[in-house]
Amino acid sequence: MLLRRLTLGTGIALGAALLLPLALLGLLAYTEAGLRVVVERIPERVGKLELIRVEGVSGTLAGGCAVRRVELVQERVALRAQDVSGRLGMLPLLWQAITVHDVRAASVRVTVRPARTPPRRPPRFLPRFLSIDVRPARVGELTLVPMKGQPQVFRDLVASGLVRTTTLRIYEARGALNDLRLQGSALLTAAEPLELRGSARAEWVADAPQPRWLATAEFDGDLDRIGFGGQLIEPFRADIRDGAVDATGAWSVRSKLWVRDFDLQAFGGSGFLGEVSGDLALEIDAAGYRVRGSVLPAALRAGKVAVDFDGGFARRVLDVRRLVLSHAASGLRVETRGTVEGVPEDGPRLALRGEWRNFRWPLGNASPPVRRSAGRFGLEGELPYRVQADAAVEPAGLPPLRARVGGALAKGRLAIAQGEIRALAGPARLAGEVRGAP
């Protein structure tokens, strides 16, 4: 009898020892009260995390919970998230893995902070033997704030990934940066500075009839310098070489472009230049865009033309602060400034002013009918563009003359509505149409 009572008591004790943790786990995982207990016991500081703050929780860990605000501050990064929700997988907790399903956040702001002291030991994302698996996360607005330069805002971001002690693998991510649609994958390795490598695809879709832009790239490096290379696939082909991104200092992008088959017809222009190829150097930073190099317009049959561009691009408007085209063989130099605005009609809206000198035509002819010309011009509006030009011209075998022209430039033709030529015999007025114009 005594043995039976001891056996029964031992069984009850063992059962209680097993059931009590399960009951406690169920209380924490499946009740809102349990969720609040977990949140209240999160320390404000742990390890290199200087601040952990979780506010406005509701729901349950296993069934799905919502958090009004989450704030994490680490030595190099500060993160603030609003209106976060998700569901925690319970079974993976047994092998020290955190699996989070259906994570959503209305907004996330990540601020990169300068390192205050050199690390005393190799950096890491998580404690050893712990991992976090996110499947997937959706963020309405992600703002990245670099140490220098303007914040970058990504929208409609969807990503899935796995965080381990020293690695963060993003299996797939997609989102939008302004009008760019981005997609890619990456591997980040905890180091000082942070190392990363991966691949990306970028697409920009303009309103018809303007073409879409499509590019792919692979990158490898760290936050001090990210090297990249790739291909521009549409609307023309170009190889992207020797690219470098400075992501932590004064934000900048540099690369070389080998252009293969650029054609103005893809942008609503004429085939006047034919296919254009060339080698260009590109720089992008907070001040804007700069392009330098040379191009070869096949249809001109006049050799290479040097290009020097300085400008910016925002809200589908290209701000041409300075564009210089020069042809060494003839001495031609064209300089222009103004704006080019993408519109959904037949072509871009132009507001350009400029000057030229040492123009001759045909450009590649050693004894051209037009030996030399210099003047000013203006292009405005949408197709057909309003044209104004004032030039001094030296025709072959004739005395110099002065010409003023006003009209409309369309695809392949120039309609002259008002024209005046002044020569030795006096002024003459003209009107008509020139075909084959650019």
Side-chain angles (χ1 to χ4, degrees):
M1 180 65 69
L2 179 60
L3 181 60
R4 183 180 299 175
R5 289 178 179 176
L6 288 174
T7 303
L8 180 60
T10 302
I12 293 173
L14 289 175
L18 293 174
L19 291 175
L20 186 59
L22 292 176
L24 180 59
L25 179 61
L27 176 66
L28 297 176
Y30 293 95
T31 68
E32 187 165 324
L35 172 63
R36 294 184 184 278
V37 169
V38 172
V39 172
E40 289 172 358
R41 280 159 176 75
I42 296 176
E44 287 195 358
R45 298 174 60 98
V46 58
K48 289 193 173 183
L49 286 174
E50 302 171 5
L51 175 66
I52 305 174
R53 182 175 295 160
V54 181
E55 300 175 350
V57 299
S58 61
T60 67
L61 286 172
C65 65
V67 182
R68 188 179 70 252
R69 177 187 174 95
V70 176
E71 188 172 359
L72 303 175
V73 178
Q74 193 253 7
E75 182 180 4
R76 295 303 309 274
V77 175
L79 180 148
R80 186 173 70 242
Q82 299 282 143
D83 299 326
V84 182
S85 63
R87 179 171 53 86
L88 181 66
M90 304 309 298
L91 186 60
L93 293 175
L94 297 177
W95 48 84
Q96 292 184 301
I98 298 175
T99 301
V100 187
H101 302 271
D102 303 324
V103 178
R104 297 176 183 272
S107 65
V108 175
R109 186 179 183 87
V110 179
T111 302
V112 180
R113 309 170 71 197
R116 294 192 296 268
T117 58
R120 288 176 292 181
R121 60 181 182 178
R124 58 188 183 184
F125 296 125
L126 295 173
R128 293 182 180 180
F129 309 114
L130 179 64
S131 65
I132 300 177
D133 192 357
V134 180
R135 315 175 181 179
R138 291 176 171 83
V139 179
E141 182 178 287
L142 171 65
T143 303
L144 295 180
V145 183
M147 288 186 291
K148 296 182 180 179
Q150 297 297 316
Q152 302 297 314
V153 181
F154 298 83
R155 303 186 188 279
D156 302 324
L157 185 68
V158 181
S160 58
L162 176 64
V163 187
R164 297 188 183 276
T165 304
T166 59
T167 60
L168 190 164
R169 182 176 295 277
I170 302 174
Y171 296 119
E172 182 182 10
R174 64 180 184 273
L177 174 62
N178 297 323
D179 292 328
L180 277 178
R181 300 174 184 174
L182 303 173
Q183 183 176 348
S185 59
L187 174 66
L188 286 73
T189 302
E192 187 59 44
L194 182 70
E195 298 174 356
L196 69 165
R197 59 183 173 88
S199 61
R201 178 182 185 271
E203 179 183 18
W204 183 63
V205 179
D207 296 327
Q210 296 302 308
R212 77 164 182 165
W213 292 71
L214 178 63
T216 61
E218 296 184 351
F219 53 89
D220 191 355
D222 55 49
L223 285 187
D224 282 347
R225 186 183 184 279
I226 307 171
F228 69 91
Q231 294 80 38
L232 178 63
I233 301 170
E234 296 182 30
F236 58 92
R237 294 179 300 161
D239 289 342
I240 305 169
R241 302 172 175 172
D242 302 328
V245 177
D246 182 353
T248 57
W251 182 86
S252 66
V253 178
R254 301 179 303 279
S255 72
K256 296 179 181 178
L257 300 178
W258 176 38
V259 180
R260 301 187 192 181
D261 54 3
F262 175 85
D263 193 335
L264 273 177
Q265 295 180 95
F267 301 87
S270 72
F272 179 74
L273 299 177
E275 286 192 352
V276 178
S277 59
D279 291 289
L280 301 171
L282 170 67
E283 296 182 11
I284 305 174
D285 55 27
Y289 299 74
R290 291 170 298 282
V291 180
R292 294 180 178 87
S294 62
V295 295
L296 179 65
L300 294 185
R301 300 180 180 178
K304 292 184 177 182
V305 176
V307 178
D308 189 347
F309 171 83
D310 180 17
F313 183 79
R315 297 181 178 88
R316 302 196 177 190
V317 176
L318 179 66
D319 179 18
V320 183
R321 291 192 285 263
R322 180 173 176 268
L323 171 61
V324 178
L325 304 175
S326 54
H327 184 244
S330 65
L332 170 66
R333 177 184 172 92
V334 181
E335 183 169 346
T336 186
R337 67 204 66 84
T339 59
V340 180
E341 180 180 356
V343 293
E345 287 79 19
D346 286 338
R349 181 183 294 120
L350 305 181
L352 297 173
R353 291 284 185 273
E355 306 85 30
W356 77 86
R357 67 172 184 262
N358 296 328
F359 174 76
R360 71 184 188 191
W361 193 257
L363 197 60
N365 194 331
S367 302
V370 178
R371 294 184 305 182
R372 186 175 300 171
S373 172
R376 298 172 295 175
F377 68 90
L379 282 172
E380 292 185 346
E382 303 172 26
L383 275 173
Y385 300 116
R386 297 187 299 277
V387 178
Q388 297 287 334
D390 184 351
V393 183
E394 295 183 16
L398 295 173
L401 56 87
R402 190 85 189 182
R404 291 183 179 179
V405 174
L409 179 64
K411 295 179 181 179
R413 63 185 180 87
L414 171 62
I416 302 174
Q418 297 178 346
E420 182 181 86
I421 296 178
R422 291 184 174 271
L424 294 178
R429 299 188 182 278
L430 60 88
E433 185 173 281
V434 179
R435 291 191 176 272

